[in-house]
Amino acid sequence: QQQVKQSPQSLIVQKGGIPIINCAYENTAFDYFPWYQQFPGKGPALLIAIRPDVSEKKEGRFTISFNKSAKQFSLHIMDSQPGDSATYFCAARLWGGADGLTFGKGTHLIIQP
Amino acid sequence: ETGVTQSPTHLIKTRGQQVTLRCSSQSGHNTVSWYQQALGQGPQFIFQYYREEENGRGNFPPRFSGLQFPNYSSELNVNALELDDSALYLCASSLAGIGYTFGSGTRLTVV
């Protein structure tokens, strides 16, 4: 019930392409959905987050699409660059926030020059 | 505005020992949560502190314990270390459960 399923596990995209990472959840009590970027040896860095009452949110080159009825959300990276190569995690927070964040297993993204 | 800082960055302990990890919250944040990240996995929620009280806990045994101080800094204590406790331990601070900001973590190796 509290799982967040993330796919694909790994992804290779050419520079300038649009990588898309997908996440799905079951628990409708999740009310906050952030995406994190993590480089080796570093902690996760918040990229962008969305609430379930919004279907799309853009911040710079990053876009979240949210489908509440399907219980799915995805991250799109526009004009991808080699510097975007990292591991990306989706996460979800239960209403109230006392249970912290539930993370997906991550997507290892490589942007080829 | 300072971010979340964690210390130490790396630590090696022997099985059965105890360890204390430390975290300073981002300025203005009143909630601290701790996560365990095994190699190649997503972070797993350990527990969360708000107003110096534990207000949420993940699926971790009681030998994982913590504290939050009046300045919102926090400690994670792990007793009777096991080999499987080897991981990256992450601290995150937030304001009322929004905008979780993570530190760079403490890499714990249990031998």
Side-chain angles (χ1 to χ4, degrees), chain B:
Chain B
E1 180 179 284
T2 58
V4 175
T5 57
Q6 292 187 242
S7 63
T9 55
H10 295 84
L11 202 53
I12 299 175
K13 288 286 189 178
T14 302
R15 189 171 50 183
Q17 284 188 317
Q18 178 265 345
V19 67
T20 297
L21 311 181
R22 294 179 174 82
C23 170
S24 295
S25 300
Q26 179 167 311
S27 176
H29 284 184
N30 58 9
T31 303
V32 174
S33 50
W34 286 89
Y35 295 78
Q36 180 193 67
Q37 186 176 24
L39 207 58
Q41 299 294 318
Q44 296 288 316
F45 174 65
I46 301 175
F47 48 56
Q48 179 169 284
Y49 278 81
Y50 173 69
R51 292 186 177 179
E52 302 176 51
E53 296 285 334
E54 183 182 299
N55 73 338
R57 190 175 186 94
N59 189 26
F60 281 81
R63 59 188 185 86
F64 287 78
S65 63
L67 287 172
Q68 185 184 30
F69 301 100
N71 66 354
Y72 304 124
S73 66
S74 177
E75 286 182 355
L76 164 65
N77 299 289
V78 187
N79 294 321
L81 283 167
E82 301 176 358
L83 296 179
D84 284 350
D85 296 334
S86 295
L88 180 68
Y89 287 86
L90 295 162
C91 168
S93 70
S94 66
L95 181 62
I98 295 295
Y100 291 80
T101 301
F102 283 81
S104 290
T106 294
R107 172 70 63 187
L108 173 65
T109 302
V110 182
V111 298

Side-chain angles (χ1 to χ4, degrees), chain A residues 91-111:
Chain A
R93 187 202 72 169
L94 284 173
W95 182 87
D99 295 299
L101 293 172
T102 299
F103 282 84
K105 292 191 173 182
T107 296
H108 182 52
L109 174 65
I110 296 174
I111 307 298

